[in-house]
Amino acid sequence: MRLCAWYLYGEKHRGYALNPVANFHLQNGSVLWRINWMGDSSPRGIGASCGMMVNYRYFLQETASNSALYLASKQVRASEQVLALVAQFQQNSKL
């Protein structure tokens, strides 16, 4: 889960999220909200994402500002759960 959080939050292509689904939602002003272990246990889900599923949350009052922040400065808004996983990854990673 830590690696998944880092992949969605920290891995970039030209400054934007490497994952195309994450990039889509972040451009539209969402918050990287939650990572669910075994959220998709179908054969396709296991093969595509090791069974992990991600929730993006849209706070309607904040979508325009979140979108502008992401597009202008490439900053990803994320929940405390996701940020804690990112911090754990960074603490234990040798990257």
Side-chain angles (χ1 to χ4, degrees):
M1 292 208 22
R2 294 185 298 255
L3 181 59
C4 180
W6 175 253
Y7 170 68
L8 295 169
Y9 181 83
E11 289 298 320
K12 308 286 186 184
H13 175 69
R14 296 186 179 158
Y16 296 107
L18 182 61
N19 180 274
V21 174
N23 191 47
F24 170 82
H25 286 289
L26 295 168
Q27 284 184 18
N28 287 308
S30 74
V31 175
L32 179 55
W33 191 250
R34 183 172 51 208
I35 299 172
N36 304 291
W37 176 254
M38 295 306 287
D40 185 356
S41 59
S42 70
R44 184 173 185 271
I46 297 293
S49 62
C50 299
M52 287 186 241
M53 185 177 283
V54 180
N55 297 114
Y56 296 91
R57 188 164 179 189
Y58 288 85
F59 295 97
L60 295 181
Q61 305 88 338
E62 299 173 11
T63 55
S65 61
N66 288 349
S67 177
L69 182 69
Y70 180 69
L71 293 171
S73 61
K74 301 168 178 81
Q75 292 182 13
V76 174
R77 292 272 330 271
S79 70
E80 289 183 24
Q81 183 236 21
V82 173
L83 292 175
L85 289 168
V86 167
Q88 290 171 16
F89 173 81
Q90 290 174 320
Q91 200 170 30
N92 296 316
S93 174
K94 294 183 175 139
L95 295 178

